[in-house]
Amino acid sequence: MENASQSTIKGTGVVSGVAFAEAVWVRPRPDLPTSGTPIAEDEAAAEFDRFNEAVLTVSGRLETRAAGAEGNAAEVLNATAGMVKDRGWHKAVRKNINAGNNAEYAVVGATDKFIAMFEAAGGVMAERTTDLKDVRDRVIAQLRGEPEPGLPAVEGEAVLFADDLAPADTATLDGTHIKALVTELGGPTSHTAIIARQLDIPCIVAVGAKLRDIEPGTKVFVDGSLGTVTLGADPATSEAAVAEYRERAAKVAQWTGPAQTKDGHRFQLLANVADGNAARVAADTQAEGIGLYRTEMSFLSATEEPTVDEQARIYGKVFAAFPQSKVVVRTLDAGSDKPISYATMETEENPALGVRGLRIARDNESLLTRQLDAIAKAAAERDENAPTWVMAPMVATSSEAKWFADLCRERNLTAGAMIEVPAAALMADTIMPYLDFVSIGTNDLTQYTMAADRLSPQLAYLTDPWQPAVLRLIQHTCVVGRDNNVAVGVCGEAAADPMLAGVLVGLGVNSLSCAATAVAGVGAQLSELTLEQCQKIADIAVNSVGASEAREAVREYIANI
Ligand code: PEP
Ligand code: MG
């Protein structure tokens, strides 16, 4: 309950947890020149040298920070340094300088060109424009002799506010000082969200321009699961909430499998991965295997289809991280926000509703069969008892399910389908007879059920997996799964939310697959609920009138257990 002096603004919570600390803003970006100081023809070479010097300083600084960082942080910093040194971008800058512009203005023009290209490509590429702008701003600040934009040095504890964070900033975030992240822009799949999830820092994105009204130094209470930033919160209550959260986090860190409810009802707890590196990280958690290997993530920048042998090598790296355990490989989910140049249509009016997922193989079956051959080849190298399951994305009809399952079985692969199109959930009784298992993709199932773009910050209130409409489709799928003796898993982001995971188990889901960092939180929460309590919260959520109401009612029920 808010008191009169409290006010709350809301965004999309992407990592749960609470924090109570002063707001600090990421150091401002330089004002961009809107016109250039013209230079004479004979000054162009010296101007380009000045640009090169700035490039060397900025990339050198990033590389030094990379050398002092580890793992993903080092990779991101090196990747940003690589962008600063990108030849194509330098060429565009040189062209602008040769046309009579000073270096600062030439940098802006060259970057705009690349931003337009990335935005035209859409989806994941468009989200990467933040990286381009970051590189531009660092070089412009250096050209002007201004301090490097980005993270401030923080002493004590702080909540970091930003318009959107660049990868180079998020990579070096220090969780001992930064207790939460709040951004004006961004979305659930933006860099900010990905890194916050990895660091397990409470995070809210897409708050909008009202975030700017909060003065730096203001003490704010941030709740990552509600997506709220509260000003004027009562210090004693806020501090108690933070202490409780930390106690809980310590308990979660202690949790060990096997995944089961308080009364011993087993379910599988698996990890979502994109490549061999991520699979190795997942192997260090309590995940029992991999419930979603997004194969397309390895090929986003490939211009040609890798051969069967090359693909088998790539898949083999993921299998190697879980030599004895179940690995669910998803065939290429290319298209929409994950364009792959050799697999997807060049332009589509409405790519999320277009030729994506399994649909790309309708006119190009050999693309799919080559991938299945490669998966079978890599699987043949595994321990003979290690289950390798294969599933197709975006299955909508029983004939698609049959077609895919037949191709899998010809290769001795266990066949499944994602349930992420509402039609597939509604027609599950006609689809399941062909399959060994299904896995519900709540990200797309929510997008298509609510008719709301999953990447849109404005529609985040609709693309909330707590939407009862989505839960009812999951409930129906579970009932049909039981009738057909077909295992039903969930591998969308819903499985990463501990309370919602309880709802899913209560609905009858047999396995949950989530980001590696979410595994312990989900396992710990479920170990505190009996199956009957899970069924009760499932009933509460399914019968709520909306997503917020469902979340609140379940939270209240759990708090009163
Ligand atoms: C989903 O849609 O829920 C899913 C797991 O697949 P992706 O997020 O890769 O589309
Ligand atoms: Mg999907």
Side-chain angles (χ1 to χ4, degrees), residues 330 333 338 356 393-394 418 420 441 443-445 454:
R330 180 174 73 186
D333 187 20
K338 290 175 285 198
R356 62 164 295 201
M394 293 294 291
M418 290 197 67
E420 52 185 349
N443 308 337
D444 278 314
L445 187 61
R454 62 191 269 184

Side-chain angles (χ1 to χ4, degrees), residues 322-507:
F322 283 90
Q324 315 285 338
S325 323
K326 172 164 134 183
V327 175
V328 183
V329 184
R330 180 174 73 186
T331 54
L332 276 190
D333 187 20
S336 188
D337 55 332
K338 290 175 285 198
I340 294 185
S341 68
Y342 66 80
T344 38
M345 308 257 296
E346 240 158 53
T347 46
E348 286 184 286
E349 286 278 316
N350 205 343
L353 299 179
V355 185
R356 62 164 295 201
L358 182 65
R359 300 167 182 186
I360 56 177
R362 257 169 58 92
D363 288 332
N364 193 358
E365 188 178 278
S366 57
L367 181 72
L368 173 61
T369 53
R370 280 190 295 273
Q371 184 176 26
L372 292 175
D373 287 343
I375 296 168
K377 188 170 190 300
E381 302 291 315
R382 306 188 75 202
D383 187 294
E384 61 178 335
N385 295 319
T388 306
W389 293 14
V390 185
M391 63 182 180
M394 293 294 291
V395 169
T397 66
S398 67
S399 65
E400 286 175 349
K402 179 177 184 318
W403 168 51
F404 180 76
D406 287 347
L407 294 175
C408 289
R409 301 230 165 83
E410 282 164 22
R411 293 161 178 82
N412 271 332
L413 294 165
T414 302
M418 290 197 67
I419 302 289
E420 52 185 349
V421 176
L426 291 167
M427 300 293 282
D429 59 327
T430 69
I431 288 178
M432 287 200 198
Y434 297 110
L435 302 170
D436 300 308
F437 72 101
V438 297
S439 183
I440 302 173
T442 48
N443 308 337
D444 278 314
L445 187 61
T446 309
Q447 151 161 280
Y448 297 127
T449 303
M450 303 307 296
D453 184 344
R454 62 191 269 184
L455 296 176
S456 163
Q458 290 84 10
L459 301 181
Y461 74 101
L462 290 173
T463 51
D464 182 331
W466 281 89
Q467 288 290 354
V470 177
L471 298 177
R472 288 182 188 193
L473 288 174
I474 297 174
Q475 182 180 44
H476 176 70
T477 307
C478 289
V479 169
V480 179
R482 249 190 322 263
D483 291 348
N484 286 269
N485 205 17
V486 167
V488 178
V490 169
C491 64
E493 290 302 307
D497 173 335
M499 282 197 316
L500 190 47
V503 169
L504 296 172
V505 168
L507 288 174

Side-chain angles (χ1 to χ4, degrees), residues 94-447:
R94 184 193 279 275
K95 198 168 152 208
N96 288 350
I97 290 178
N98 288 344
N101 295 302
N102 68 343
E104 286 86 336
Y105 194 55
V107 164
V108 172
T111 313
D112 282 350
K113 189 178 131 192
F114 279 82
I115 289 173
M117 265 159 51
F118 277 37
E119 276 173 354
V124 172
M125 293 292 277
E127 287 195 17
R128 298 284 101 92
T129 53
T130 302
D131 313 9
L132 287 173
K133 290 177 190 161
D134 177 54
V135 163
R136 172 198 66 198
D137 295 347
R138 284 172 199 274
V139 170
I140 288 182
Q142 182 58 30
L143 282 165
R144 290 180 179 158
E146 291 172 1
E148 193 173 20
L151 276 187
V154 174
E155 288 177 14
E157 296 189 346
V159 172
L160 194 69
F161 282 10
D163 49 0
D164 198 4
L165 286 167
D169 295 330
T170 45
T172 48
L173 270 186
D174 176 359
T176 49
H177 296 293
I178 305 295
K179 294 298 172 193
L181 297 179
V182 184
T183 62
E184 188 184 330
L185 309 169
T189 58
S190 62
H191 245 288
T192 308
I194 291 166
I195 297 280
R197 233 172 254 131
Q198 271 171 22
L199 294 174
D200 208 11
I201 300 179
C203 178
I204 302 172
V205 297
V207 174
K210 48 199 181 298
L211 189 66
R212 300 205 160 259
D213 298 339
I214 303 177
E215 290 293 327
T218 311
K219 233 174 167 186
V220 291
F221 180 73
V222 173
D223 186 327
S225 60
L226 294 178
T228 50
V229 180
T230 305
L231 285 87
D234 173 54
T237 319
S238 304
E239 273 151 22
V242 171
E244 194 184 315
Y245 159 66
R246 289 191 184 160
E247 204 177 293
R248 167 110 203 124
K251 213 162 152 196
V252 163
Q254 299 294 317
W255 178 79
T256 53
Q260 56 187 351
T261 58
K262 194 173 178 183
D263 53 339
H265 170 76
R266 279 279 282 129
F267 61 95
Q268 272 190 325
L269 189 47
L270 308 159
N272 291 353
V273 304
D275 55 24
N277 275 343
R280 280 190 293 279
V281 170
D284 282 337
T285 70
Q286 295 287 314
E288 294 166 59
I290 291 172
L292 170 62
Y293 167 23
R294 291 181 162 103
T295 57
E296 67 280 358
M297 301 307 279
S298 299
F299 308 119
L300 291 178
S301 52
T303 48
E304 278 176 24
E305 183 191 340
T307 63
V308 169
D309 285 349
E310 280 164 354
Q311 290 189 48
R313 251 194 314 279
I314 293 169
Y315 307 149
K317 288 185 187 165
V318 171
F319 291 146
F322 283 90
Q324 315 285 338
S325 323
K326 172 164 134 183
V327 175
V328 183
V329 184
R330 180 174 73 186
T331 54
L332 276 190
D333 187 20
S336 188
D337 55 332
K338 290 175 285 198
I340 294 185
S341 68
Y342 66 80
T344 38
M345 308 257 296
E346 240 158 53
T347 46
E348 286 184 286
E349 286 278 316
N350 205 343
L353 299 179
V355 185
R356 62 164 295 201
L358 182 65
R359 300 167 182 186
I360 56 177
R362 257 169 58 92
D363 288 332
N364 193 358
E365 188 178 278
S366 57
L367 181 72
L368 173 61
T369 53
R370 280 190 295 273
Q371 184 176 26
L372 292 175
D373 287 343
I375 296 168
K377 188 170 190 300
E381 302 291 315
R382 306 188 75 202
D383 187 294
E384 61 178 335
N385 295 319
T388 306
W389 293 14
V390 185
M391 63 182 180
M394 293 294 291
V395 169
T397 66
S398 67
S399 65
E400 286 175 349
K402 179 177 184 318
W403 168 51
F404 180 76
D406 287 347
L407 294 175
C408 289
R409 301 230 165 83
E410 282 164 22
R411 293 161 178 82
N412 271 332
L413 294 165
T414 302
M418 290 197 67
I419 302 289
E420 52 185 349
V421 176
L426 291 167
M427 300 293 282
D429 59 327
T430 69
I431 288 178
M432 287 200 198
Y434 297 110
L435 302 170
D436 300 308
F437 72 101
V438 297
S439 183
I440 302 173
T442 48
N443 308 337
D444 278 314
L445 187 61
T446 309
Q447 151 161 280

